[in-house]
Amino acid sequence: MESYLVRRAICKTSNNNYSDLFSEQLIGGGKNTLDSLKEYIEEREGSLVMPSPSKVVLGVSNSKIDEQTARIIYYLYETKLTKTSEGIFMESYNTCLAEQFMPKSCAAADVNWPKHADKDLEANRQELIGTLGNYFLLRVDDNEKAIKKAHNEGFAKKLSCMLGWCNNVRSSQKLTPTLAGWSEKDINVRNNSFAKLVNENIWNV
């Protein structure tokens, strides 16, 4: 069920008919094993269909995701990533924040990410900014205002905050060496890597 819901969130699938999913056929139909639930979901049609691997790849690369959705997806990913002999991710959802590293156009950003002269390249950047590959899960406690302030104070300040608040967040921490030169290429690479993880390991079907 988690795989189904997360894949739909990634693809921004319509939720208009969710009541049809949680019908008497599911609740009272004895769908109480993994195999029976999987079979039930695979039988769904229309807007309730399970997103295919190719749809997930397109969703990760093209869907503009809001902060709350990105936080849920990366938080669930983190709880799976750290559920090893090294210990379980102990942070609560409310102490985390999903932050876009490459910001939208603003005065402070122009020094590090000047606008492309080519309109198509700039439009592509603005699309990529909103995808999952540009989001990082941070452990911020009560520092959400600080990271938002850093966003407007420039690259160096935001980089410092991001590096400090990636502690104990393995999905973000391992990418911090690339942040000093973060570009559209890095976002694309991360999107492709994450889509592969979703399809083959984390929320496979």
Side-chain angles (χ1 to χ4, degrees):
M1 182 61 76
E2 182 178 303
S3 293
Y4 176 68
L5 296 176
V6 172
R7 292 170 78 94
R8 287 174 60 84
I10 288 172
C11 297
K12 298 188 72 173
T13 308
S14 172
N15 297 331
N16 290 342
N17 297 324
Y18 253 167
S19 59
D20 293 340
L21 175 70
F22 300 101
S23 64
E24 179 64 25
Q25 187 178 355
L26 172 63
I27 298 171
K31 310 297 183 182
N32 52 11
T33 66
L34 177 60
D35 288 340
S36 63
L37 177 60
K38 184 177 180 180
E39 182 181 4
Y40 175 78
I41 289 175
E42 289 176 345
E43 290 172 350
R44 299 309 94 196
E45 298 177 346
S47 63
L48 293 176
V49 70
M50 169 74 83
S52 66
S54 60
K55 291 287 187 182
V56 168
V57 171
L58 288 173
V60 172
S61 299
N62 298 323
S63 294
K64 285 192 137 182
I65 303 293
D66 59 35
E67 186 278 330
Q68 185 177 35
T69 302
R71 190 189 340 172
I72 290 170
I73 291 170
Y74 276 122
Y75 181 82
L76 290 172
Y77 172 48
E78 188 69 28
T79 61
K80 290 178 177 292
L81 188 67
T82 57
K83 198 173 292 184
T84 67
S85 58
E86 299 173 26
I88 298 174
F89 187 57
M90 298 301 293
E91 304 301 329
S92 75
Y93 173 80
N94 291 328
T95 64
C96 294
L97 174 73
E99 175 68 12
Q100 294 172 320
F101 187 57
M102 183 184 288
K104 296 179 181 179
S105 298
C106 65
D110 290 345
V111 176
N112 303 95
W113 294 292
K115 285 187 177 181
H116 291 293
D118 186 294
K119 291 184 178 180
D120 290 337
L121 289 177
E122 184 60 27
N124 179 60
R125 171 184 285 174
Q126 296 307 315
E127 290 297 316
L128 283 173
I129 283 173
T131 62
L132 277 168
N134 191 43
Y135 276 100
F136 287 79
L137 187 69
L138 307 177
R139 178 187 176 279
V140 296
D141 293 327
D142 297 322
N143 294 316
E144 183 173 350
K145 290 182 179 179
I147 191 68
K148 295 300 183 185
K149 182 180 179 183
H151 170 91
N152 295 317
E153 290 183 353
F155 180 86
K157 180 66 174 178
K158 185 166 185 178
L159 178 60
S160 176
C161 288
M162 295 283 282
L163 293 176
W165 293 332
C166 279
N167 289 335
N168 302 322
V169 184
R170 291 174 59 191
S171 58
S172 298
Q173 192 179 56
K174 63 183 180 180
L175 288 163
T176 53
T178 67
L179 288 181
W182 196 245
S183 67
E184 290 95 323
K185 179 180 178 181
D186 295 297
I187 297 174
N188 276 321
V189 168
R190 192 173 184 220
N191 277 333
N192 291 336
S193 297
F194 191 69
K196 185 175 182 180
L197 277 170
V198 171
N199 281 325
E200 297 181 6
N201 302 104
I202 306 299
W203 294 295
N204 59 336
V205 294

